[in-house]
């Protein structure tokens, strides 16, 4: 065998070349199965309204001829429109210099980690929370610390200011993640928790992931209302959920201009394609049409909570477009049985729990009917 064929040499395997801290990791893998009722990734169940489809087609046609050129690296129009949307819905004046966007809020989170994390630094989150927070954190060699949720005498997944502060002081992180409404539990955290964490961690960037904010129950304020005067606070959002545009891949954040300036150091040039920018802007021209389904989805979410309670399961109160429910005898067995009925839900790795996205009334009805049929065998026995 010649040296070119590897003879006589001790070539490394790809596994050996892989960064040691990534060895043995598993990639993100929510199943993408072709099923009649997919309620597993918290997408908006409704198709994009025709008025938005028409606007998107026109907008993409408008940029098609110029695809020989790089897009606006600063996505100026999009930033302006996102700032205006946030200002309108929250009543907080958000300027375009405060807005950043990426290909999904996952990429926005990656930019934050690239700029503010890195080897030798630590990020703290409160588990169970969004499973990608630790994954994204580790991709840049940052250490992830699993904080805990659960408040004595309250919900097992609640997070209160005292507990959060205690954990922040114990771990002294450079980044803290709060997810509100929290995935997979569905509940929002109080702004008192955000404020207390910010005060307790004067040397940390505090990131509030508000991917599901538009579904929150009335009276749930956004952490955007806390941005003023807090340079280390970041609020991330997405067009993947309430806006029904998961396929577009557009997430964004609002923070102090110093934060968005830092993100310019790590993003790839022209990271938002011209079609992505055009689609997002066209959609933002039709916010009311796009968000028209939010109330219907919230009604289905509340219907799930009510009916699961009646069946004897333990749904967690939700401010999102999904419901986590406990009281499941064996979550893998019920997940499989629901799939046999054509309904895909999410096993989030929590014993005796599954998570289901609120769908259209028909989809939700199919899920509830299947669950009703399966309940006798799959309900966890209540402690005496
Ligand atoms: N944050 C949370 C809490 C999520 O649940 C998700 C998606 N499931 C994201 C961020 C990322 O969404 P996207 O990249 O589509 O914006």
């Amino acid at each position: 065998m010649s040296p070119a064929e590897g003879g006589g040499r001790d070539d490394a395997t790809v596994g050996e070349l892989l960064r040691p801290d990534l060895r043995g990791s598993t990639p993100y893998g929510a199943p993408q199965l072709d099923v009649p009722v997919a309620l597993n990734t918290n997408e908006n169940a409704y198709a994009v309204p025709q008025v938005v489809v028409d606007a998107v087609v026109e907008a993409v046609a408008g940029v098609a001829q110029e695809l020989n050129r790089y897009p606006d690296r600063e996505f100026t129009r999009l930033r302006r429109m996102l700032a205006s949307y946030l200002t309108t819905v929250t009543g907080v004046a958000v300027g375009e210099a405060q807005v950043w966007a990426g290909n999904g809020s996952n990429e926005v989170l990656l930019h934050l980690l690239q700029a503010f994390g890195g080897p030798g630094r630590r990020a703290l989150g409160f588990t169970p929370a969004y499973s990608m927070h630790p994954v994204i954190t580790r991709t840049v060699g940052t250490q992830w610390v699993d904080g805990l949720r659960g408040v004595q005498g309250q919900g097992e997944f609640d997070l209160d200011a005292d507990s959060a502060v205690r954990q922040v002081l114990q771990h002294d992180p450079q980044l803290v993640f709060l997810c509100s409404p929290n995935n997979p539990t569905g509940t929002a955290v109080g702004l008192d928790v955000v404020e207390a964490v910010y005060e307790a961690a004067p040397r940390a960037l505090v990131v509030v992931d508000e991917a599901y904010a538009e579904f929150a129950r009335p009276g749930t304020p956004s952490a955007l209302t806390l941005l003023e005067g807090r340079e280390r606070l970041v609020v991330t959002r997405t067009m993947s959920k309430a806006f029904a545009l998961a396929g577009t891949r557009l997430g964004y954040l609002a923070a102090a201009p110093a934060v968005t300036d830092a993100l310019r150091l790590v993003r790839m040039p022209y990271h938002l394609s011209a079609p992505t920018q055009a689609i997002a802007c066209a959609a933002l021209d039709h916010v009311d049409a796009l968000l028209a389904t939010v109330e219907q989805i919230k009604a289905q979410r509340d219907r799930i909570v009510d009916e699961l309670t009646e069946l004897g399961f333990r749904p967690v109160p939700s401010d999102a477009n999904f419901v986590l429910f406990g009281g499941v005898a064996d979550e893998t067995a019920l997940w499989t049985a629901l799939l046999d009925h054509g309904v895909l839900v999410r096993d989030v790795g929590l014993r005796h729990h599954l998570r289901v996205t609120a769908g259209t009334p028909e989809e939700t009805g199919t899920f509830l009917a299947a669950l009703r049929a399966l309940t006798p065998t799959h309900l966890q026995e209540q402690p005496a």
Side-chain angles (χ1 to χ4, degrees), residues 229-260:
R230 291 184 179 83
E231 202 189 34
R232 299 174 288 105
L233 182 63
V234 179
V235 181
T236 63
R237 294 229 173 169
T238 182
M239 295 182 80
S240 296
K241 311 296 180 182
F243 279 88
L245 289 175
T248 305
R249 309 306 297 127
L250 201 289
Y252 57 105
L253 63 73
V259 172
T260 56

Side-chain angles (χ1 to χ4, degrees), residues 104-106 130 179 183 209 211-212 238 240-241 249:
S105 49
N106 281 332
Y130 181 40
C179 192
N183 179 10
D209 182 337
Y212 300 95
T238 182
S240 296
K241 311 296 180 182
R249 309 306 297 127

